């Protein structure tokens, strides 16, 4: 079975092997050397001046970012389940969220954010996804962050990059907290979250002494600067992340990102060739998100008849989306195979006659 859901993504064999090495105790020079190496590499990979690791899934890092960087009121962008999660976390901590709500195929607009800030002086932090995985859309985070800071320079901008980091190079110049999670583009098992921090965010965390206990970022930073963690480290996943970076560095970042974009553009050409309706108006390169009224049965066929496990939608879109992963080290042949499987399933569902157009368009465009 080919696991092609946009998270969890399958762990490649070289990562699984790295995680199958002898267990290391986390309070040892051996582990601290790996931790330090991974920590430094993650900083340059994310383009940030500081990083912190947490033993949790991505949502734990979302919560920690909010408890540390929002003192008064949160502005949240909701164009899907994960944006909605920002609103729920902010409400849970009494941050009276002002939510900008969009259709799941529609990115947030710069002017909506500008107006919200102009009309609400109490907003001190903005929460957004880079790729909103529910519909596969790309928010214009860089432009929104820049415009928001022009209005309120002291505003903290928190960007959930869980399905964006490791697919495209993110410009973190105006981002104060950039969140990543192990089970998406890093192709690791779930259980490790990362937050890239700006100098201002670090200052806020250090001067306030952090917030909460387990997810206290001041406590973590104090330890992680010394290449150790406050609580037991997720040693195995960190070893896997070390392997991820080792492989990345044999390829080179430029080539890694160029490959992801090339797969994405060839995949879009393939979907257009079979008349598939791409759901988001601005699709993120992290996944292919196709709208089809028969999506549920098409997906079932893909899984049963061609052994490709694609994801569906959520909530109202549960039975009308087909989402296929394009993160991390997914290979062009896996994408080509999955889009061919989609074309076969469309044929067998009576939606469109099979003529191999998806595979042909993918291959022509990928190798052009
Ligand atoms: C997967 C994901 C998360 C984190 O979800 P967890 O279940 O906590 O790992 C957050 N944001 C986005 C955009 C995601 O795709």
């Amino acid at each position: 079975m080919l696991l092609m859901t946009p998270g969890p993504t399958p762990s490649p064999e070289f990562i699984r092997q790295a995680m199958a090495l002898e267990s290391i105790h986390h309070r040892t020079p051996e582990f601290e050397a790996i931790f330090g190496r991974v920590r430094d590499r993650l900083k340059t990979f994310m383009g940030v001046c500081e990083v912190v690791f947490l033993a949790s899934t991505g949502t734990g890092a979302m919560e920690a970012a909010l408890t540390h960087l929002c003192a008064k009121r949160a502005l949240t962008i909701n164009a899907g389940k994960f944006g909605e999660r920002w609103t729920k976390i902010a409400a849970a901590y009494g941050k009276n969220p002002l939510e900008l709500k969009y259709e799941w195929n529609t990115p947030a607009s710069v002017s909506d954010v500008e107006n919200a800030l102009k009309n609400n002086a109490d907003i001190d932090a903005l929460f957004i996804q880079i790729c909103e995985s529910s519909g596969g859309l790309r928010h214009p985070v860089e432009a929104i962050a820049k415009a928001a800071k022009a209005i309120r320079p002291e505003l903290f901008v928190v960007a959930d990059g869980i399905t964006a980091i490791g697919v495209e190079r993110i410009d973190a110049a105006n981002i104060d907290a950039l969140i990543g999670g192990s089970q998406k583009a890093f192709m690791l098992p779930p259980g490790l979250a990362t937050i890239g921090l700006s100098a201002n965010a670090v200052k806020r965390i250090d001067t306030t002494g952090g917030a909460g206990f387990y997810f206290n970022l001041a406590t973590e930073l104090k330890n992680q600067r010394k290449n150790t963690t406050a609580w037991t480290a997720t040693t195995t996943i960190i070893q896997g992340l070390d392997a991820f970076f080792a492989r990345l560095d044999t390829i080179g970042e430029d080539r890694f990102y160029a490959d992801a974009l090339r797969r994405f553009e060839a995949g879009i050409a393939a979907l257009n060739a079979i008349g598939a309706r791409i759901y988001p108006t601005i699709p993120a390169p992290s996944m292919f998100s196709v709208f089809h009224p028969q999506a549920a049965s098409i997906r079932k066929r893909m899984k049963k008849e061609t052994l490709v496990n694609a994801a569906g939608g959520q909530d109202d879109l549960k039975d009308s989306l087909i989402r296929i992963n394009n993160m991390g080290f997914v290979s062009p042949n896996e994408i080509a195979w999955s889009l061919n499987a989609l074309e076969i399933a469309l044929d067998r569902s009576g939606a469109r006659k099979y003529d191999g157009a998806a595979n042909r368009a993918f291959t022509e465009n990928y190798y052009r």
Side-chain angles (χ1 to χ4, degrees):
M1 180 73 66
L2 199 53
L3 179 60
M4 291 301 282
T5 54
T9 58
S11 276
E13 192 175 346
F14 71 88
I15 286 181
R16 295 199 308 275
Q17 280 185 350
M19 294 187 306
L21 296 175
E22 238 173 33
S23 304
I24 313 180
H25 193 283
H26 60 292
R27 309 281 182 214
T28 56
E30 292 88 334
F31 180 69
E32 285 166 14
I34 298 172
F35 188 84
R37 180 161 74 224
V38 171
R39 192 172 127 73
D40 287 344
R41 189 64 189 89
L42 185 66
K43 279 186 208 169
T44 55
F45 187 62
M46 283 180 150
V48 293
C49 69
E50 186 56 281
V51 291
V52 60
F53 291 94
L54 296 171
S56 78
T57 66
T59 307
M62 292 171 73
E63 181 164 332
L66 183 124
T67 57
H68 286 77
L69 300 180
C70 182
K72 290 187 234 142
R73 189 175 191 197
L75 175 60
T76 59
I77 308 296
N78 174 359
K81 286 302 271 187
F82 296 103
E84 180 187 61
R85 191 168 299 176
W86 280 132
T87 309
K88 287 183 175 174
I89 297 170
Y93 283 97
K95 301 301 178 194
N96 184 25
L98 176 65
E99 180 183 77
L100 298 179
K101 205 166 176 181
Y102 298 89
E103 290 294 318
W104 286 19
N105 66 349
T106 308
S109 89
V110 174
S111 60
D112 288 350
V113 171
E114 286 175 332
N115 290 334
L117 290 173
K118 281 178 191 156
N119 297 329
N120 298 277
D122 51 350
I123 290 169
D124 60 351
L126 162 68
F127 299 87
I128 189 168
Q129 271 63 40
I130 298 177
C131 165
E132 169 54 81
S133 318
S134 315
L137 74 78
R138 176 65 157 87
H139 283 300
V141 173
E142 297 84 346
I144 285 176
K146 191 167 177 226
K149 294 246 177 177
I151 292 172
R152 194 157 302 156
E154 69 282 11
L155 180 86
F156 283 117
V157 175
V158 179
D160 166 0
I162 292 173
T163 47
I165 296 162
V167 182
E168 44 176 330
R169 208 187 287 276
I170 308 298
D171 174 8
N174 293 298
I175 295 174
D176 296 287
L178 177 59
I179 296 169
S182 54
Q183 82 274 28
K184 305 285 168 79
F186 290 120
M187 308 192 96
L188 298 164
L192 178 71
T194 63
I195 314 179
L197 296 166
S198 70
N200 277 344
V202 172
K203 202 165 137 210
R204 161 68 70 92
I205 292 161
D206 282 340
T207 53
T208 55
F213 185 76
Y214 182 79
F215 287 119
N216 187 310
L217 299 182
T219 313
E220 282 299 348
L221 277 177
K222 216 171 105 201
N223 284 277
Q224 295 188 21
R225 285 185 186 117
K226 293 184 278 185
N227 294 334
T228 189
T229 48
W231 328 118
T232 308
T234 55
T235 45
T236 316
I237 310 181
I238 302 266
Q239 282 169 269
L241 186 53
D242 194 30
F244 173 91
F245 283 132
R247 176 62 58 97
L248 174 72
D249 290 333
T250 63
I251 295 170
E253 275 189 30
D254 289 345
R255 165 90 191 281
F256 175 75
Y257 289 124
D259 282 352
L261 189 62
R262 200 148 68 102
R263 288 192 310 265
F264 179 67
E265 287 175 347
I268 292 291
L271 290 170
N272 287 331
I274 57 172
R277 187 175 142 200
I278 292 151
Y279 176 67
T281 58
I282 307 287
S286 321
M287 67 190 75
F288 304 99
S289 178
V290 173
F291 183 91
H292 198 288
Q294 290 165 263
S297 65
I298 290 168
R299 220 160 52 75
K300 247 182 234 149
R301 272 188 198 281
M302 287 172 72
K303 192 168 174 187
K304 206 162 149 232
E305 298 171 20
T306 43
L307 303 182
V308 173
N309 188 358
Q314 293 156 298
D315 289 2
D316 293 347
L317 291 166
K318 188 169 173 294
D319 293 332
S320 38
L321 285 190
I322 302 155
R323 292 177 303 145
I324 296 172
N325 174 44
N326 184 40
M327 288 179 266
F329 290 106
V330 65
S331 69
N333 48 310
E334 286 170 321
I335 306 272
W337 181 252
S338 302
L339 297 175
N340 183 56
L342 171 64
E343 191 185 340
I344 290 171
L346 286 170
D347 177 272
R348 294 182 183 170
S349 309
R352 179 191 174 277
K353 190 111 194 73
Y354 181 85
D355 59 4
N359 227 332
R360 182 171 352 104
F362 183 88
T363 310
E364 276 173 6
N365 280 275
Y366 187 80
Y367 290 106
R368 194 173 44 200

